[in-house]
């Protein structure tokens, strides 16, 4: 598989980055609502963790569709940057968070030399993104000030959210998109076409 980027791949990655920046910003509002609901119970910080996998999903989708080094990292960085530009309350530090998240996902694909995009690797990428981002937020967002039990529950919840939303939902959304035929010029689209041809022959 050639590692050189094609223009259409760069365009798709940029479109995904911008589209998910809007979704990420909407999710921020949802997260704030959950924090508000849980604060009276003393577990407000847990609110965002239930849906944290949303903020990692573009890296998995871009990597799964394009299948080239840098797709996960760059798409997440684009999404984070655009989210800041369109007015995220998190401010410019969000770009650094996006870079850390993209690095987490990219590391999982790097372990397979960008050759394996099966479900287990997509889930692993989600989990690694959760761990990388949590380590970053432990210091940047002051998680160290929380009770140990709350920090532990936050980490576990973020990992579960990443498995379900980032890995599994990200794969499902990409596969549904591939079935429409709009991705036929990309690695995932070609894989779907080959599977369809094989199924038809057999």
């Amino acid at each position: 598989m050639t590692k050189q980027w094609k223009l259409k791949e760069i365009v798709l990655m940029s479109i995904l980055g911008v589209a998910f920046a809007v979704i990420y910003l909407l999710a921020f509002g949802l997260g704030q609502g959950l924090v508000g609901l849980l604060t009276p119970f003393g577990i407000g910080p847990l609110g965002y963790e239930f849906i944290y996998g949303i903020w990692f999903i573009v890296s998995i989708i871009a990597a799964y569709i394009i299948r080239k080094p840098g797709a996960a990292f760059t798409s997440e960085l684009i999404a984070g940057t655009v989210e800041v530009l369109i007015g995220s309350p998190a401010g410019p530090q969000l770009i650094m968070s996006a870079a850390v998240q993209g690095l987490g996902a990219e590391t999982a694909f790097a372990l397979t030399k960008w050759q394996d995009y099966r479900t287990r690797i997509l889930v692993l990428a989600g989990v690694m993104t959760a761990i990388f981002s949590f380590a970053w937020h432990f210091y940047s967002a002051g998680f160290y000030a929380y009770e140990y039990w709350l920090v532990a529950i936050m980490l576990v919840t973020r990992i579960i959210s990443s498995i379900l939303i980032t890995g599994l939902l990200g794969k499902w959304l990409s596969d549904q998109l591939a079935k429409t035929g709009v991705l036929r010029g990309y690695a995932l689209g070609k894989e779907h076409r080959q599977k369809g041809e094989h199924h038809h022959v057999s």
Side-chain angles (χ1 to χ4, degrees):
M1 186 189 297
T2 175
K3 295 292 188 280
Q4 194 170 359
W5 283 77
K6 296 173 183 172
L7 179 59
K8 65 182 179 182
E9 292 168 339
I10 296 170
V11 169
L12 176 66
M13 188 172 60
S14 301
I15 291 171
L16 288 171
V18 172
F20 278 95
V22 176
I23 293 170
Y24 288 3
L25 195 56
L26 293 173
F28 187 82
L30 176 59
Q32 282 187 310
L34 290 170
V35 168
L37 285 172
L38 296 175
T39 296
F41 303 99
I43 51 172
L46 195 57
Y48 286 109
E49 304 303 331
F50 289 109
I51 59 168
Y52 227 101
I54 293 173
W55 286 292
F56 309 150
I57 199 167
V58 73
S59 60
I60 304 304
I61 290 175
Y64 184 45
I65 292 172
I66 298 170
R67 306 191 178 190
K68 287 185 178 174
F73 176 79
T74 310
S75 59
E76 194 69 50
L77 190 60
I78 291 170
T81 304
V82 173
E83 193 182 348
V84 170
L85 293 174
I86 60 178
S88 171
Q93 76 159 10
L94 184 66
I95 297 173
M96 186 61 196
S97 293
V100 171
Q101 290 165 192
L103 189 63
E106 198 70 54
T107 300
F109 297 115
L111 291 173
T112 73
K113 295 184 170 61
W114 296 275
Q115 298 295 316
D116 191 344
Y117 290 87
R118 287 175 294 175
T119 305
R120 70 184 75 168
I121 302 302
L122 301 181
V123 168
L124 175 65
V127 170
M128 290 190 71
T129 306
I131 293 169
F132 272 53
S133 68
F134 200 88
W136 163 251
H137 289 139
F138 187 79
Y139 295 101
S140 68
F143 288 179
Y144 55 81
Y146 299 146
E147 295 283 350
Y148 289 127
W149 62 267
L150 180 57
V151 173
I153 294 172
M154 287 169 66
L155 175 58
V156 170
T157 306
R158 186 177 297 200
I159 289 172
I160 293 170
S161 176
S162 300
I163 291 170
L164 298 176
I165 300 176
T166 313
L168 299 180
L169 180 61
K171 181 183 187 300
W172 183 82
L173 289 172
S174 303
D175 286 335
Q176 296 311 302
L177 201 56
K179 286 177 183 176
T180 67
V182 298
L183 300 177
R184 58 183 171 271
Y186 302 91
L188 177 60
K190 290 171 184 172
E191 180 184 84
H192 269 258
R193 190 168 68 246
Q194 287 167 358
K195 282 180 181 176
E197 288 170 356
H198 178 73
H199 181 72
H200 184 70
V201 169
S202 58

